[in-house]
Amino acid sequence: MELLHGVPDKEYHSWDRMSATALKTLDRSTPLHLLAQMENAEDTPALRVGRALHSLVLTPGVYDRDFVVAPDIDRRTKAGKEEWEKFKEVAEGRTVLTKDEHNLVEEMRGGIMSCNTARQLVEACGNDVEISLRGDIDGIPAKARIDGFIARDGCLIDIKPHGGLCSPQEFAKAAYSCGYWTQFAFYREMLRRAG
C-alpha cells in the first residue's frame, strides 16, 4: 500500500480503482450503475465547490494553482468572446469557478476556521492533508484520499460541506444517509494496510 502526499486531484481521480465513493454507490445500486457513473462522470458545481473548499482549507498554498475565478464577461459580444478566449488561456488546466462559487467557498472556509475546534483539528494535521493511498485490498485495486490525519491520535479529519446543519443530531442523520460510516471504515482499512 502506497501512502502519497502532494498528488494532484486530477491525477488521483484518474486512478481506476475501487474507492469509498464507489462502495457507497454499490451499497445503493448495482455494478452496472457504478460503471455508468464512472463512464459518465461530469464536473458539477457541487463537486467543483467541494474540491475548492478542500483546497482552500487544507492546502491553501496550491489553491491558486488549481482554481481560478471566471471574470464577468458578456460572451455574446465579439469583444467578450475575445476576452473569454484570453481568460481560457490563462486558466488552462485549472478548475474555473464562478464568482458565486468562489464566494461560497470563502464563506464556508470562514465558517470552518472561525470554529475553534474545527480550526485546531485542521491545524493539528500539519502536512498530513490530502493524503492519497493506493494499493490492493484482497486483490482488488483500491484508492483513498484522506482529507487530514492526526497521527499522534489516529484521528481522521474529513470536510463535509453540508449547509444548514446545526446540531449533532442533524449531522448524525446526514452521516448515516450519506454513508460516511462506509467511507471511514474504508479509509481506516486503507490506513491500517499502509501501516
Side-chain angles (χ1 to χ4, degrees):
M1 185 72 60
E2 295 177 278
L3 191 144
L4 307 161
H5 287 82
V7 175
D9 195 57
K10 287 181 181 181
E11 180 182 340
Y12 170 79
H13 287 291
S14 74
W15 298 342
D16 189 20
R17 296 170 168 271
M18 180 58 65
S19 67
T21 301
L23 286 174
K24 289 190 278 186
T25 299
L26 286 173
D27 186 47
R28 294 186 312 267
S29 193
T30 67
L32 287 175
H33 180 229
L34 174 61
L35 289 173
Q37 180 179 321
M38 292 168 63
E39 289 173 5
N40 300 312
E42 64 179 82
D43 199 17
T44 64
L47 290 173
R48 282 194 305 274
V49 166
R51 285 195 319 272
L53 176 65
H54 280 76
S55 179
L56 197 56
V57 171
L58 300 170
T59 57
V62 300
Y63 181 77
D64 290 333
R65 176 197 75 190
D66 296 336
F67 296 91
V68 63
V69 180
D72 285 329
I73 297 173
D74 184 355
R75 290 186 268 170
R76 295 173 296 179
T77 67
K78 181 179 178 184
K81 289 176 184 174
E82 289 172 2
E83 190 176 350
W84 184 256
E85 288 305 313
K86 288 178 187 174
F87 168 72
K88 283 181 11 185
E89 289 175 19
V90 171
E92 185 180 351
R94 294 189 280 174
T95 299
V96 177
L97 301 171
T98 66
K99 284 188 179 182
D100 287 344
E101 289 169 344
H102 175 71
N103 291 341
L104 177 60
V105 169
E106 288 279 0
E107 186 179 319
M108 289 189 294
R109 179 195 174 277
I112 291 169
M113 300 315 270
S114 69
C115 172
N116 286 334
T117 302
R119 186 184 67 256
Q120 289 170 0
L121 287 169
V122 169
E123 290 171 353
C125 292
N127 291 325
D128 285 331
V129 293
E130 296 289 20
I131 302 166
S132 298
L133 294 145
R134 178 174 59 188
D136 289 354
I137 293 181
D138 299 333
I140 297 172
K143 67 179 179 180
R145 181 113 162 164
I146 306 212
D147 290 354
F149 184 62
I150 304 171
R152 71 172 186 268
D153 301 324
C155 181
L156 290 171
I157 305 298
D158 200 66
I159 295 175
K160 297 295 185 196
H162 275 285
L165 296 179
C166 300
S167 71
Q169 294 80 13
E170 289 172 318
F171 183 76
K173 184 177 178 180
Y176 178 78
S177 66
C178 294
Y180 297 163
W181 50 275
T182 301
Q183 177 182 353
F184 274 86
F186 186 73
Y187 287 179
R188 182 173 179 261
E189 182 61 16
M190 293 287 282
L191 283 168
R192 187 187 71 75
R193 289 174 185 250

